Amino acid sequence: AKVSPSLSLVRHALQAQSLALAGHREQALREYALVYEDGWKDEDPAIRQGLGHLTAQLLNYAALLAPGAKREDLIDAAARHLATRRANGFGLPWAHYQAAQIATMRGDRATAMRELDLAIDAGYTDVLSLKRDLPWQALEGDLAFEARRQRLASIARAQRQELASKTVETTAGPAAR
């Protein structure tokens, strides 16, 4: 079976992210280059159709690069893709989350915190993403960012507790009610 180019891109991007998180920056850069170099730019059909995971990985790639024109081009491409998805009606909490990452990459901390708050207020609950997604490394030790991380962790704990209590109710059966 032949893997579509878009699925192959996702596989390489996720592998690159894993390598970066494990501290293998150079290997991660090589994997990201397989995804985003050699004419990719804005031409992959998955990006045009709004597959946001590739745009998120684009920001992870940019986070590994030193400041410069290439890094700025990647951030600008991610911002264009987000703008396109928003123009097409994409309004999930994840859109605010990604806007916060873009603002972080551009050094606009105030907008990043505002967009992250909007994401959380709209229902974003992936607390692990604040450790997993590389743009957030620029805010390590930032008290405002840490407050949002704690807020998100608190929401996630409450949701787990609610699910656990519903599971107990469901498995206990009618006699326990």
Side-chain angles (χ1 to χ4, degrees):
K2 200 171 186 181
V3 177
S4 80
S6 296
L7 291 177
S8 179
L9 293 178
V10 171
R11 183 181 61 81
H12 283 289
L14 292 173
Q15 184 165 343
Q17 182 181 20
S18 296
L19 287 165
L21 290 170
H24 304 288
R25 181 179 178 276
E26 294 306 316
Q27 288 175 290
L29 286 170
R30 282 192 295 276
E31 281 296 316
Y32 277 127
L34 291 173
V35 178
Y36 296 110
E37 303 300 327
D38 299 324
W40 170 81
K41 298 287 182 203
D42 299 321
E43 298 308 315
D44 184 76
I47 294 294
R48 285 198 307 271
Q49 296 303 316
L51 183 60
H53 297 295
L54 291 178
T55 305
Q57 292 298 332
L58 184 64
L59 290 169
N60 282 335
Y61 182 27
L64 290 174
L65 296 173
K70 182 176 182 177
R71 178 181 165 124
E72 292 306 313
D73 286 347
L74 295 175
I75 296 166
D76 289 345
R80 280 192 309 277
H81 295 305
L82 178 59
T84 299
R85 285 195 308 278
R86 283 181 159 172
N88 291 334
F90 183 77
L92 299 173
W94 189 82
H96 290 294
Y97 176 83
Q98 193 165 75
Q101 288 182 299
I102 291 167
T104 297
M105 296 293 295
R106 289 182 167 160
D108 185 352
R109 188 182 155 284
T111 298
M113 294 301 100
R114 187 172 52 256
E115 287 287 347
L116 187 53
D117 283 338
L118 289 170
I120 296 168
D121 292 345
Y124 189 84
T125 59
D126 186 0
V127 66
L128 296 177
S129 66
L130 298 180
K131 288 274 187 201
R132 182 183 61 236
D133 292 338
L134 304 178
W136 300 122
Q137 291 177 350
L139 296 177
E140 282 299 318
D142 181 282
L143 295 177
F145 177 68
E146 189 57 36
R148 276 125 179 120
R149 187 189 324 237
Q150 292 303 316
R151 177 178 171 221
L152 193 52
S154 176
I155 291 168
R157 271 192 305 279
Q159 288 175 340
R160 282 193 303 273
Q161 289 171 347
E162 183 178 340
L163 286 173
S165 70
K166 288 183 190 282
T167 301
V168 169
E169 287 176 17
T170 303
T171 57
R177 289 184 207 132

